Amino acid sequence: MLKDLFILDAHEDIAFHLTYFGRDFVNPESPCMITLPWLKEGQVGLVFNTIFVHPKHKPEKTVESALAQFGTYDRIYREHAGEVFQVKTPGDLDGIEQGSRIGFLTLMEGADPVESPEKLREFYDRGVRIIGLSWNDKNIYASGNDTEEGLSEEGKRLIQEMNGLGITLDLSHINEKGFREAIGLTKLIPIASHSNARAVTDHPRNLRDEQITAIAERGGVVGLVLYNQFLRTGGGTPTLEDVFTHADHMVRLVGEDHVGIGSDMDGARIVDFPEELRRIADLPKIADYFLEKGYSEERVRKIMGGNFLRVMRENLRGQSLA
């Protein structure tokens, strides 16, 4: 294991599971993949903690669901203030690689709770610093990978508001037409928080080479997602080798500065992840495996956290002070 390894996980569905499955963040009785002790054991220093509204809550309870999840995070910040803190400003990232507390930087997975672009500031004030316009389905802003339409006029205005506030655009889930339109409108460095390479595994949630290249050309990062279906199609359970195959394809395509980790743990059933990677504490196994495959320590540190941290430092510096 690398000494003093800093891990940034760009996609963890923490609040959804705590809120709707009623489990404890420290000592859960029900099976899960993420706990506070496991985050610490796994050397996770910064998390993009999601607000995710499940389709069963749309549209009637969309805002209610989002607010309940914000409340869950607020409770974590209060009850575990010595171990977890909210990241909202560039100064909050100062020294985070050496710090003892875990930073939570909020990512809204699907902009459904933002009822109009003019209401975005309300969620910015709650700490949202990254937004993916859509999930798999269609909303008033954009269409996900299960649909074919691109951005709406409201979606274009929402990106303009995001630019003004300094909110990063997450291009995971949006379909190809929307991807092309959205990446051309953002003025910040774009990311894909949790998407693999479609050239390796032909799944509509994965990114084509030209999409990965478009993100990299703008300085962005693509987070390797550990969900089985995105790692491998066909028989057999994916392994660390599948994770490496996706990473290596992207490194060879766009270089080592544009690949990260976006586990999506607790975003599905435990059995939907590789056997070696079923607790958030298992993330260092990825670093160890990449080293065994011949990657340099510098490259591994970039992939495990340095690349996404670079992007967020730059994007947060550009946020509105109004």
Side-chain angles (χ1 to χ4, degrees):
M1 183 181 293
L2 281 177
K3 184 179 179 181
D4 300 322
L5 178 63
F6 171 81
I7 294 180
L8 189 163
D9 189 344
H11 203 96
E12 293 185 8
D13 289 317
I14 294 172
F16 182 80
H17 269 249
L18 292 178
T19 303
Y20 291 103
F21 292 84
R23 65 174 178 80
D24 188 80
F25 189 40
V26 177
N27 295 301
E29 295 181 2
S30 56
C32 66
M33 304 178 75
I34 301 172
T35 69
L36 179 55
W38 290 343
L39 284 166
K40 292 190 289 185
E41 181 184 340
Q43 299 176 268
V44 179
L46 181 58
V47 170
F48 295 172
N49 57 302
T50 72
I51 301 292
F52 167 66
V53 178
H54 194 278
K56 68 182 180 182
H57 295 140
K58 300 176 186 178
E60 292 83 3
K61 296 184 178 180
T62 297
V63 176
E64 177 184 334
S65 175
L67 294 179
Q69 292 175 61
F70 278 113
T72 295
Y73 288 129
D74 288 342
R75 186 170 66 252
I76 289 174
Y77 304 143
R78 289 195 308 271
E79 296 179 357
H80 304 284
E83 298 165 298
V84 179
F85 71 101
Q86 186 177 25
V87 173
K88 298 174 76 172
T89 71
D92 292 332
L93 295 178
D94 290 346
I96 195 167
E97 293 160 283
Q98 295 79 36
S100 60
R101 294 195 300 165
I102 301 167
F104 276 25
L105 191 157
T106 303
L107 184 161
M108 183 175 282
E109 185 177 20
D112 304 70
V114 186
E115 296 174 292
S116 70
E118 292 73 25
K119 292 189 175 184
L120 179 61
R121 182 64 190 243
E122 299 174 17
F123 292 97
Y124 174 86
D125 290 342
R126 294 296 298 265
V128 173
R129 294 296 181 269
I130 307 170
I131 292 179
L133 299 187
S134 65
W135 189 61
N136 293 339
D137 51 3
K138 178 183 176 183
N139 59 27
I140 65 170
Y141 300 114
S143 294
N145 56 270
D146 286 345
T147 56
E148 296 181 355
E149 297 177 43
L151 300 187
S152 66
E153 290 304 313
E154 289 89 347
K156 295 173 184 177
R157 288 199 295 119
L158 184 65
I159 293 177
Q160 291 175 348
E161 294 292 328
M162 290 167 61
N163 288 338
L165 291 169
I167 297 177
T168 299
L169 174 66
D170 182 3
L171 291 160
S172 288
H173 279 290
I174 197 168
N175 66 18
E176 292 182 56
K177 187 174 189 297
F179 180 104
R180 292 192 298 271
E181 294 173 342
I183 200 170
L185 292 172
T186 185
K187 295 186 182 303
L188 287 85
I189 301 172
I191 67 168
S193 66
H194 61 311
S195 295
N196 291 335
R198 195 159 181 177
V200 176
T201 301
D202 189 11
H203 189 286
R205 268 284 286 107
N206 290 339
L207 299 179
R208 299 190 187 278
D209 283 357
E210 54 266 31
Q211 294 175 294
I212 296 168
T213 300
I215 291 172
E217 287 177 344
R218 291 160 176 81
V221 179
V222 178
L224 297 162
V225 57
L226 306 181
Y227 185 60
N228 285 346
Q229 291 185 28
F230 305 159
L231 286 170
R232 184 198 297 180
T233 55
T237 302
T239 67
L240 283 164
E241 179 65 20
D242 295 283
V243 180
F244 176 77
T245 299
H246 282 274
D248 200 52
H249 175 82
M250 288 193 262
V251 167
R252 292 175 185 274
L253 179 68
V254 296
E256 64 185 27
D257 295 327
H258 306 288
V259 184
I261 301 293
S263 74
D264 202 15
M265 282 193 178
D266 273 349
R269 303 174 304 166
I270 295 173
V271 295
D272 291 324
F273 291 78
E275 291 182 6
E276 305 115 309
L277 301 169
R278 290 185 172 173
R279 300 184 311 149
I280 204 67
D282 294 330
L283 290 185
K285 293 179 182 179
I286 297 173
D288 293 342
Y289 193 80
F290 285 11
L291 288 170
E292 290 174 10
K293 297 293 289 189
Y295 276 11
S296 68
E297 179 177 323
E298 179 183 10
R299 174 175 290 180
V300 171
R301 289 187 184 277
K302 286 181 178 181
I303 293 172
M304 297 307 297
N307 288 334
F308 269 125
L309 184 59
R310 165 185 56 81
V311 170
M312 294 317 302
R313 278 182 165 145
E314 184 164 341
N315 282 354
L316 288 180
R317 281 198 296 266
Q319 69 185 14
S320 172
L321 299 178

